C-alpha cells in the first residue's frame, strides 16, 4: 500500500469530510429560535440583540441595520434588515458589483443558494476594517412580502469556527404566517 502524502488530494478530501461531520454536531436549542414578523431563524445564544448605541460603535454607516446581534466581545455578529422597496428584487451579482465599487480590496470567495427551508441566496467574502480582516456572509431571503438582507461577520482568523454556524443559521430560516382573526 502506498503512503499518502499530506499534499495528496485524497488526504485533503478526507480531512474535509471529517470537518463537515464535526459541523453537523452544532447544538440548536429551541429557545435560540428568534421570531420576527414573517420569519424565524436560529441564532445561537452567544449572540445577544444589542442596543443601537452598540451598533453605532461597529457600523459607521448612517443607515444602521434594523436588528443587530453581537457576541460578548463584539468580534462576531449578525444583522437583519428589510429592503426599503420590497418590490425591488436585488441580485447577488448586483450586490457584488456594488461592493466592488465601494472597496476594491474585497476578496470574494463564493456565492450560492441554500434551499433547506426557504430560498436563501448568499455571498461569501473578506473585507477590511481598520487593521482587521473580516469574514462576511451576506444573505437575502423573502419572507411574506418583504425581502430581508442578513449579514454575518467575524474576524477572519475565526471564520473556521463560525462558518458552519452561519450556514446552519441560513438553513433554519422559516417563514411564519400570522393569521389575524376577525
Amino acid at each position: 500500500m502506498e503512503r499518502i502524502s499530506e499534499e495528496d488530494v485524497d488526504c485533503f478530501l478526507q480531512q474535509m469530510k471529517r470537518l463537515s461531520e464535526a459541523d453537523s454536531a452544532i447544538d440548536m436549542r429551541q429557545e435560540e429560535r428568534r421570531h420576527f414578523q414573517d420569519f424565524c431563524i436560529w441564532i445561537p445564544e452567544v449572540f445577544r440583540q444589542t442596543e443601537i448605541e452598540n451598533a453605532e460603535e461597529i457600523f459607521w454607516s448612517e443607515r444602521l441595520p434594523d436588528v443587530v446581534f453581537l457576541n460578548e466581545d463584539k468580534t462576531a455578529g449578525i444583522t437583519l434588515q428589510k429592503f426599503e422597496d420590497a418590490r425591488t428584487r436585488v441580485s447577488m451579482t448586483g450586490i457584488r458589483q456594488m461592493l466592488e465599487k465601494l472597496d476594491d480590496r474585497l476578496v470574494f470567495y463564493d456565492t450560492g443558494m441554500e434551499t433547506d427551508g426557504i430560498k436563501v441566496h448568499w455571498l461569501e467574502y473578506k473585507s477590511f476594517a481598520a487593521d482587521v480582516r473580516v469574514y462576511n456572509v451576506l444573505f437575502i431571503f423573502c419572507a411574506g412580502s418583504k425581502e430581508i438582507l442578513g449579514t454575518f461577520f467575524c474576524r477572519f482568523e475565526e471564520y473556521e469556527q463560525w462558518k458552519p454556524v452561519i450556514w446552519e443559521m441560513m438553513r433554519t430560516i422559516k417563514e411564519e404566517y400570522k393569521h389575524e382573526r376577525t
Side-chain angles (χ1 to χ4, degrees), residues 39-147:
F39 73 96
C40 67
I41 180 174
W42 170 73
I43 299 177
E45 68 180 12
V46 298
F47 292 99
R48 303 273 186 222
Q49 192 165 355
T50 188
E51 299 297 324
I52 195 72
E53 296 81 28
N54 291 329
E56 289 172 343
E57 293 174 18
I58 295 173
F59 302 101
W60 300 345
S61 169
E62 290 179 18
R63 170 95 167 96
L64 294 174
D66 300 330
V67 179
V68 178
F69 289 88
L70 298 171
N71 66 347
E72 188 174 337
D73 58 1
K74 300 177 186 172
T75 59
I78 185 166
T79 69
L80 298 166
Q81 64 189 68
K82 295 180 289 267
F83 279 112
E84 290 296 318
D85 185 354
R87 295 170 295 169
T88 304
R89 296 289 182 227
V90 180
S91 72
M92 278 299 161
T93 304
I95 289 176
R96 180 178 175 154
Q97 290 170 348
M98 182 184 66
L99 289 171
E100 287 172 333
K101 286 180 185 176
L102 291 173
D103 189 349
D104 62 355
R105 301 174 301 160
L106 297 180
V107 179
F108 293 93
Y109 296 114
D110 206 358
T111 186
M113 180 174 56
E114 293 297 318
T115 58
D116 287 353
I118 61 176
K119 284 185 185 176
V120 179
H121 298 270
W122 53 266
L123 174 66
E124 178 184 33
Y125 64 98
K126 176 173 60 173
S127 64
F128 303 87
D131 59 348
V132 178
R133 297 176 303 161
V134 181
Y135 172 76
N136 302 274
V137 177
L138 183 143
F139 56 98
I140 299 173
F141 61 94
C142 291
S145 62
K146 299 176 189 76
E147 197 164 29

